[in-house]
Amino acid sequence: MESTGGVSRRGVLAAGAAVLLGGAVGGVGAATRDPDEGVTAPEDLMKEHGVLNRCLLLYEEGLRRLGTREGVSPAVFIHTAGLIRHFVEEYHEKNEEQFIFPVFERSGKLVDLVKTLRTQHKAGRAVTTRVLSLAGAGTFRDREHQRELSSAVRSFIRMYRPHEAREDTVLFPALRTLLSPAQVLSLGQHMEESEHKVLGNEGFEKSVAQVAALEKQLGIDNLASFTPKGV
């Protein structure tokens, strides 16, 4: 992450936004706080799972529209799969494979879980390639290809929901039992450097903005619309 005078660029942007809000979030002190200050590597990875979950919601809406024949553009699947490929597979998962999984493998802890997670990363990449192929020009309008696409997307969702849940509730919490606070901090710094290298400036924020734009295009951007009716 780029820094300016010792303050991360992300922090500078956050501070500026708070000032524009007129201190409405807690006065002058809040305006100078870096939202990433004190955030550890496991917390960062969990935030990134939030992006993945929103991508899965995009996939689910695309599947719903295919199933009801409401009409859906192949761009929904192409753009979602592209975001998954870049943000999840090339960045998030690579960080897990480079920085997180080896900690457990070296210590002999949760090795079976890590082995499964690695296998699922590989399987997920294959599915993403399949989705991009089936959603491409000249194939998407074919009903058989749409059935194959739906099957591929469903398999991706079915795998990643328990995959990320197991990481969030088992793997990431256990990381603190194997590393010292200083090592956890160092891990976060390495991952932040990876974010800048792979995603560029404000990579996380840009990815969230891309997801939000796709949600708006599909009309699922209003959180209140997911509230059960008549409850």
Side-chain angles (χ1 to χ4, degrees):
M1 184 66 63
E2 282 187 343
S3 62
T4 304
V7 179
S8 71
R9 183 172 180 272
R10 188 180 298 174
V12 170
L13 291 175
V19 169
L20 289 175
L21 288 172
V25 292
V28 176
T32 60
R33 291 174 189 159
D34 181 351
D36 286 332
E37 184 178 354
V39 175
T40 64
E43 289 174 287
D44 253 338
L45 290 166
M46 289 178 185
K47 284 198 311 180
E48 292 161 9
H49 277 171
V51 176
L52 171 58
N53 265 314
R54 290 173 73 171
C55 286
L56 299 184
L57 286 172
L58 292 169
Y59 267 163
E60 286 174 338
E61 178 62 14
L63 289 176
R64 187 191 69 77
R65 294 189 181 198
L66 276 180
T68 58
R69 300 196 180 188
E70 289 181 38
V72 59
S73 168
V76 170
F77 296 98
I78 292 172
H79 291 163
T80 302
L83 184 56
I84 287 171
R85 167 133 296 172
H86 187 50
F87 182 83
V88 177
E89 297 172 353
E90 296 176 348
Y91 164 63
H92 173 86
E93 290 182 350
K94 291 296 184 183
N95 270 355
E96 290 180 337
E97 293 168 2
Q98 182 177 356
F99 301 116
I100 305 299
F101 295 169
V103 173
F104 293 93
E105 291 164 337
R106 287 192 297 268
S107 67
K109 305 294 185 182
L110 299 176
V111 290
D112 288 341
L113 174 58
V114 168
K115 182 179 179 180
T116 299
L117 295 172
R118 283 189 181 274
T119 298
Q120 291 183 339
H121 283 182
K122 183 177 180 180
R125 290 163 195 156
V127 174
T128 298
T129 297
R130 182 70 173 151
V131 169
L132 288 168
S133 174
L134 290 168
T139 60
F140 181 76
R141 296 304 172 190
D142 181 83
R143 290 299 296 171
E144 180 58 32
H145 283 162
Q146 287 187 5
R147 283 191 286 271
E148 292 178 24
L149 173 65
S150 296
S151 177
V153 170
R154 287 193 182 95
S155 72
F156 189 92
I157 296 169
R158 179 172 173 78
M159 181 179 74
Y160 269 98
R161 284 262 157 78
H163 176 101
E164 63 179 351
R166 201 63 61 89
E167 288 182 335
D168 286 348
T169 59
V170 178
L171 194 76
F172 298 160
L175 194 64
R176 286 183 175 275
T177 70
L178 300 176
L179 298 178
S180 68
Q183 288 174 318
V184 172
L185 179 61
S186 176
L187 191 64
Q189 291 171 340
H190 286 306
M191 289 173 57
E192 191 170 351
E193 290 169 3
S194 175
E195 176 186 343
H196 177 70
K197 181 178 179 180
V198 178
L199 302 178
N201 295 337
E202 305 307 313
F204 175 80
E205 288 79 4
K206 286 180 180 179
S207 297
V208 171
Q210 288 176 321
V211 171
L214 289 170
E215 289 171 340
K216 188 170 185 178
Q217 289 176 21
L218 286 172
I220 59 170
D221 54 311
N222 182 4
L223 182 61
S225 67
F226 291 93
T227 307
K229 301 296 188 291
V231 176

Short mmCIF file of all heavy atoms in Angstrom, two decimals, residues 18 21-33:
data_model
loop_
_atom_site.label_atom_id
_atom_site.label_comp_id
_atom_site.label_asym_id
_atom_site.label_seq_id
_atom_site.Cartn_x
_atom_site.Cartn_y
_atom_site.Cartn_z
N ALA A 18 -14.05 11.52 5.87
CA ALA A 18 -14.63 11.88 7.17
C ALA A 18 -14.72 13.39 7.34
O ALA A 18 -15.68 13.90 7.91
CB ALA A 18 -13.80 11.26 8.29
N LEU A 21 -17.62 14.75 5.58
CA LEU A 21 -18.87 14.48 6.28
C LEU A 21 -19.09 15.41 7.47
O LEU A 21 -20.05 15.29 8.20
CB LEU A 21 -18.89 13.02 6.77
CG LEU A 21 -19.06 11.97 5.67
CD1 LEU A 21 -18.85 10.58 6.26
CD2 LEU A 21 -20.44 12.07 5.05
N GLY A 22 -18.15 16.32 7.68
CA GLY A 22 -18.31 17.31 8.73
C GLY A 22 -18.17 16.74 10.13
O GLY A 22 -18.76 17.24 11.07
N GLY A 23 -17.36 15.64 10.22
CA GLY A 23 -17.14 15.06 11.55
C GLY A 23 -18.36 14.34 12.08
O GLY A 23 -18.46 14.09 13.27
N ALA A 24 -19.29 13.97 11.19
CA ALA A 24 -20.53 13.35 11.65
C ALA A 24 -20.33 11.97 12.24
O ALA A 24 -21.23 11.42 12.84
CB ALA A 24 -21.52 13.26 10.48
N VAL A 25 -19.14 11.39 12.06
CA VAL A 25 -18.91 10.04 12.58
C VAL A 25 -18.09 10.06 13.84
O VAL A 25 -17.48 9.09 14.22
CB VAL A 25 -18.21 9.16 11.52
CG1 VAL A 25 -19.13 8.91 10.36
CG2 VAL A 25 -16.91 9.81 11.04
N GLY A 26 -18.03 11.18 14.52
CA GLY A 26 -17.36 11.15 15.81
C GLY A 26 -16.36 12.24 16.04
O GLY A 26 -15.45 12.08 16.84
N GLY A 27 -16.46 13.35 15.32
CA GLY A 27 -15.59 14.48 15.59
C GLY A 27 -14.27 14.42 14.88
O GLY A 27 -14.02 13.58 14.03
N VAL A 28 -13.38 15.34 15.26
CA VAL A 28 -12.10 15.50 14.57
C VAL A 28 -11.24 14.26 14.70
O VAL A 28 -10.56 13.85 13.78
CB VAL A 28 -11.36 16.73 15.14
CG1 VAL A 28 -9.98 16.85 14.50
CG2 VAL A 28 -12.17 18.00 14.89
N GLY A 29 -11.27 13.61 15.87
CA GLY A 29 -10.43 12.43 16.08
C GLY A 29 -10.74 11.35 15.07
O GLY A 29 -9.84 10.70 14.54
N ALA A 30 -12.03 11.15 14.77
CA ALA A 30 -12.42 10.10 13.82
C ALA A 30 -11.91 10.41 12.42
O ALA A 30 -11.67 9.51 11.64
CB ALA A 30 -13.94 9.95 13.81
N ALA A 31 -11.75 11.69 12.10
CA ALA A 31 -11.36 12.07 10.75
C ALA A 31 -9.93 11.67 10.43
O ALA A 31 -9.55 11.62 9.28
CB ALA A 31 -11.53 13.58 10.58
N THR A 32 -9.13 11.39 11.44
CA THR A 32 -7.73 11.07 11.19
C THR A 32 -7.44 9.59 11.37
O THR A 32 -6.29 9.18 11.28
CB THR A 32 -6.83 11.87 12.15
OG1 THR A 32 -7.17 11.54 13.50
CG2 THR A 32 -7.01 13.37 11.92
N ARG A 33 -8.43 8.80 11.61
CA ARG A 33 -8.22 7.37 11.83
C ARG A 33 -8.11 6.62 10.51
O ARG A 33 -8.89 6.83 9.60
CB ARG A 33 -9.36 6.79 12.66
CG ARG A 33 -9.39 7.28 14.10
CD ARG A 33 -10.61 6.79 14.82
NE ARG A 33 -10.74 7.43 16.12
CZ ARG A 33 -11.88 7.50 16.80
NH1 ARG A 33 -12.97 7.00 16.29
NH2 ARG A 33 -11.92 8.10 17.98
#
